[in-house]
Amino acid sequence: MKIEGLKAYVEKLEVAHYILSKSLHPETTGEGDLTRTQYILMRMLSIRDRWTVTELAEMLEVKPSAVTVAVDRLYKKNYVQRYRSEADRRIVYLELSETGSSILKEAEERRLVSMENLLSKLSRDDLETLVTIYDKFGNDKKQHEALTLAP
C-alpha cells in the first residue's frame, strides 16, 4: 500500500521517536553513571538468574563482541559477576552483583521519575493509545517476554 505524503510522516515520526526515546531512556546519570546500553543489560541480568554473552547478544540482536565490551565495563565497576559453568568450563555465566543491583534500583527510580514527568502530559486514553501503537510494532513475542519485567 502506497501512503500519500509518506516522507512527511516519516520525518515527523523520526523526530517524535527521537524525543520520546531520549525521554524514556535517559542516560541514567547519578552514582552509577550508566549508559543506556549498560542500563538495558543490567535490567536483562536482573530478570533471570544467569545469562551467557551469547544469550544476551541473541536477545538484543547484536554481536556477542558488542555485549562483551559492555559487560567488561560493568565488570570493572563491580556491577556484574562472571562465573564458569561447572558442567562445561568453557561457558561463562553473568549475573548482577549486589552493587549492580543497588545501582540498577537507583537508576530505575530516576528513570521512573523521568518517565512520569513525560507521560503525565498525556491523558489516560492517549497513554493507552500510545502503548497500543508501540505494541503493534513490538510484536516479537520472544523478545517481548524476555524484556518485560512486569505484566
Side-chain angles (χ1 to χ4, degrees):
M1 169 175 114
K2 188 161 174 116
I3 300 173
E4 182 80 24
L6 179 62
K7 185 176 180 183
Y9 285 120
V10 168
E11 288 173 2
K12 286 180 182 179
L13 280 171
E14 285 176 340
V15 170
H17 177 73
Y18 176 78
I19 292 167
L20 181 61
S21 175
K22 290 293 275 184
S23 298
L24 291 176
H25 304 286
E27 296 297 319
T28 53
T29 55
E31 185 182 327
D33 289 328
L34 299 176
T35 66
R36 192 177 324 174
T37 301
Q38 290 171 334
Y39 174 79
I40 291 168
L41 280 172
M42 288 177 68
R43 273 195 62 167
M44 289 183 72
L45 289 169
S46 75
I47 61 175
R48 211 169 85 189
D49 287 340
R50 63 183 188 190
W51 291 80
T52 65
V53 167
T54 302
E55 290 169 335
L56 287 168
E58 286 173 359
M59 192 57 60
L60 295 170
E61 297 178 345
V62 297
K63 294 181 180 178
S65 60
V67 172
T68 298
V69 169
V71 167
D72 285 347
R73 290 185 181 131
L74 293 171
Y75 181 78
K76 287 177 185 173
K77 292 181 176 185
N78 193 33
Y79 296 169
V80 172
Q81 295 176 332
R82 296 176 172 144
Y83 62 95
R84 294 199 180 275
S85 165
E86 291 188 21
D88 184 344
R89 303 290 295 160
R90 295 171 296 176
I91 299 173
V92 177
Y93 291 113
L94 306 168
E95 65 181 27
L96 277 183
S97 67
E98 286 185 34
T99 302
S101 293
S102 175
I103 293 296
L104 178 61
K105 183 177 179 187
E106 292 170 14
E108 286 175 331
E109 289 169 2
R110 286 190 304 276
R111 183 170 180 255
L112 190 58
V113 168
S114 175
M115 290 175 66
E116 184 176 25
N117 289 336
L118 175 74
L119 297 175
S120 66
K121 298 173 185 175
L122 300 176
S123 69
R124 185 134 184 107
D125 287 344
D126 286 346
L127 185 55
E128 291 289 335
T129 300
L130 178 66
V131 170
T132 299
I133 291 169
Y134 262 70
D135 277 347
K136 288 182 180 186
F137 291 109
N139 60 6
D140 182 331
K141 187 171 179 157
K142 178 183 169 195
Q143 210 171 30
H144 188 276
E145 288 174 356
L147 296 174
T148 301
L149 296 175

